[in-house]
Amino acid sequence: MHDTSKSSMRVLIVDDHPVVVSGCRSLFASDKTVKIEEAADAKAGLRAFTQKRPDVTVIDIKLPDVSGFELLRRIRKDDPVARIIMFSMNDDPAFVVRAVEMGAQGYLSKSDDPRLFVKAVRKVAEGERFISPHLAEAIAFAGAAIKANPASQMSARELEILRLLGRGDKIVEVASALGISYKTVANATSLLKQKLGAKNHSDLVRIAVEMELG
C-alpha cells in the first residue's frame, strides 16, 4: 500500500545529474515529512524501488544504461499501481503521450518552474495526474502530428532498441542491456527497418539519431 498520509512521503528520484537531484532535494528541504531517495541509473533505480517502495518515483528519460521508459516498464511490471512521474528535457508531445500510455501519472519538463515539481509530486502521491501545463497544451494542439510521429507506431520495446542503437550500441550490447536474446533484438531490428524505411543498419542508426530518442 502507498502511504500518502501527512506523516511521511517517500520520493525516489532516478537521475544521473547530481545538480538536478540536489535541486529536487532542496525543494522539499523545509518539509520534514518528505524523504528523498536517489539512484543514478535504471538498474539502481529498480533496486531502490523494490527496496524502498516509494510513494512517488520521478524518472529522468535520459539515463546512462537504459532509458527512463524502460525503467518505467520494469517498475510497472513489478508494481502495476506504482506512481511515476517522467522528467525530461524532451518536450515532444509524442513522448508525453507514450509515457502516459505506459502508465506514468505525470510528465514534467526540466525547463518548468521548480514549483511545478513540488505540485506534481504531491498530486501524483494523492493519486491524481499531472502534466506540465505547456506540454498539456501542446498535446491538445498536436493530435495529428503525434499520430504521424514514428514513435507512435512503435512498441515501448522497439523504441528502446532503436534508442540504444542510436547511441551506438551493437545488437549484442542491446540484448545485454535489455536482458533479451540476440535473436529477439535482431528480429526487432529487421522490423524497425521495415517500419522506418531504413535501407540498412547504418541507415536505421541515422534515423534513430535524428529522432532524438534521448
Side-chain angles (χ1 to χ4, degrees):
M1 284 295 292
H2 295 282
D3 174 18
T4 55
S5 67
K6 190 63 188 161
S7 60
S8 68
M9 178 168 67
R10 198 186 292 267
V11 180
L12 170 62
I13 298 171
V14 187
D15 194 303
D16 64 325
H17 300 93
V19 172
V20 172
V21 177
S22 62
C24 294
R25 278 187 180 282
S26 67
L27 291 169
F28 289 100
S30 61
D31 190 340
K32 300 299 177 227
T33 66
V34 178
K35 181 165 174 50
I36 304 285
E37 306 286 350
E38 61 183 85
D41 59 33
K43 190 176 180 181
L46 184 61
R47 189 166 59 241
F49 178 85
T50 54
Q51 289 173 355
K52 307 291 186 181
R53 294 291 161 183
D55 299 294
V56 180
T57 304
V58 181
I59 305 173
D60 184 12
I61 288 177
K62 195 166 187 175
L63 294 171
D65 45 1
V66 294
S67 77
F69 282 123
E70 176 66 11
L71 177 57
L72 165 63
R73 191 187 68 75
R74 292 176 187 180
I75 286 177
R76 298 284 299 178
K77 191 176 176 185
D78 177 78
D79 180 359
V81 295
R83 293 170 183 165
I84 297 170
I85 297 171
M86 302 307 284
F87 194 36
S88 178
M89 290 295 291
N90 193 321
D91 286 0
D92 188 330
F95 274 63
V96 186
V97 171
R98 174 49 57 97
V100 172
E101 284 173 352
M102 290 179 68
Q105 288 84 0
Y107 195 108
L108 283 171
S109 168
K110 287 192 174 182
S111 59
D112 279 328
D113 183 324
R115 285 171 297 188
L116 283 180
F117 182 89
V118 176
K119 187 176 180 182
V121 167
R122 295 202 183 283
K123 275 196 170 294
V124 170
E126 289 164 6
E128 296 181 48
R129 291 181 179 274
F130 188 92
I131 293 174
S132 299
H134 78 278
L135 291 177
E137 189 177 343
I139 292 166
F141 288 103
I146 290 171
K147 289 185 179 69
N149 187 313
S152 302
Q153 321 302 320
M154 291 179 248
S155 69
R157 176 49 56 83
E158 286 175 326
L159 270 175
E160 186 64 14
I161 288 170
L162 190 60
R163 190 190 76 86
L164 293 172
L165 291 172
R167 76 175 191 188
D169 285 19
K170 294 180 173 57
I171 289 178
V172 66
E173 293 169 326
V174 174
S176 175
L178 298 179
I180 54 181
S181 72
Y182 180 97
K183 189 179 178 187
T184 300
V185 177
N187 289 344
T189 302
S190 296
L191 274 173
L192 283 167
K193 284 179 193 166
Q194 290 172 22
K195 282 188 180 182
L196 297 169
K199 300 182 215 39
N200 50 41
H201 188 82
S202 59
D203 197 31
L204 184 64
V205 171
R206 176 189 60 78
I207 291 169
V209 171
E210 288 174 356
M211 283 176 70
E212 294 182 4
L213 297 172

